[in-house]
Amino acid sequence: MAPISHETMTVTQAPLLAQIDRSEVIDLLYEMQNGELTAKEAHIDCASWDADALRELQERYIATLAAGGFATGAFSNGVLVGFGVLGHAWIGENGNQLAVELLYVSRDFRRRGIGTQILDRLAGEARKRGAVYLYVSSTETRSAVSFYRHNGSALAATPDEALFSREPKDIHMIIRL
């Protein structure tokens, strides 16, 4: 396997997001009930991007970077195999959190530490900007929640209202930097 290189990404690289294969078989979904994480079996074959989902992803990527966010990408032989986007807006009760807006690793490149490297780069940028926490609004899948928990996240005691209203099924977590 070719080595993975990491680089800061720009707005002009939005078309590269189409190279990510987000597909996965989802066997378990989490939900919050009375402040507790509960699990439910699932049998969902999640496909990669359709045209509308890809357009929305690229628009979100561009808008976040244009507003002052940060993006990092992982490349193998010049192909984007993972990326993460750090939001620009301060959130949280004390205004000391920055959100992980997006983080994806292509199916064939998962479980190789690439996601952790991307998250570490986002955390480093957040620290440089003065953040105390990363805020994560994770999809409710076992793979996503397990990834963030493995990387030090805890359930957010108080979910960010704006992010929660946008993504109420997500599992809202924070990572102390």
Side-chain angles (χ1 to χ4, degrees):
M1 167 150 297
I4 303 297
S5 62
H6 293 269
E7 65 181 60
T8 299
M9 294 179 67
T10 66
V11 169
T12 62
Q13 290 173 300
L16 297 181
L17 304 187
Q19 296 173 350
I20 298 293
D21 174 9
R22 75 158 182 182
S23 67
E24 73 175 301
V25 174
I26 299 168
D27 64 347
L28 191 100
L29 293 172
Y30 287 103
E31 62 181 38
M32 291 297 295
Q33 292 182 342
N34 302 320
E36 298 288 323
L37 202 55
T38 61
K40 291 192 307 187
E41 283 188 30
H43 305 285
I44 303 167
D45 192 1
C46 179
S48 198
W49 315 109
D50 63 25
D52 290 337
L54 179 59
R55 187 180 64 256
E56 288 175 20
L57 176 75
Q58 290 171 331
E59 288 171 357
R60 185 172 172 189
Y61 171 92
I62 290 167
T64 302
L65 291 186
F70 169 84
T72 184
F75 294 84
S76 176
N77 285 328
V79 175
L80 183 67
V81 299
F83 76 97
V85 177
L86 180 69
H88 67 284
W90 292 100
I91 61 173
E93 285 181 60
N94 298 317
N96 61 0
Q97 301 172 18
L98 289 173
V100 175
E101 291 288 331
L102 300 165
L103 196 155
Y104 288 95
V105 175
S106 284
R107 183 179 197 148
D108 290 343
F109 289 85
R110 294 182 192 140
R111 302 199 183 283
R112 298 182 188 184
I114 295 168
T116 297
Q117 292 168 350
I118 291 168
L119 188 61
D120 287 348
R121 288 177 57 94
L122 296 178
E125 180 65 22
R127 272 188 216 94
K128 277 195 245 176
R129 294 180 181 207
V132 177
Y133 296 94
L134 277 181
Y135 187 95
V136 176
S137 179
S138 171
T139 59
E140 66 273 24
T141 63
R142 177 199 314 245
S143 60
V145 173
S146 295
F147 166 76
Y148 287 113
R149 292 185 100 176
H150 176 78
N151 281 284
S153 73
L155 295 175
T158 307
D160 180 77
E161 288 182 28
L163 291 176
F164 184 80
S165 67
R166 187 171 78 193
E167 299 165 332
K169 289 186 176 185
D170 278 7
I171 306 304
H172 295 260
M173 298 181 271
I174 57 171
I175 301 172
R176 182 153 179 84
L177 299 175

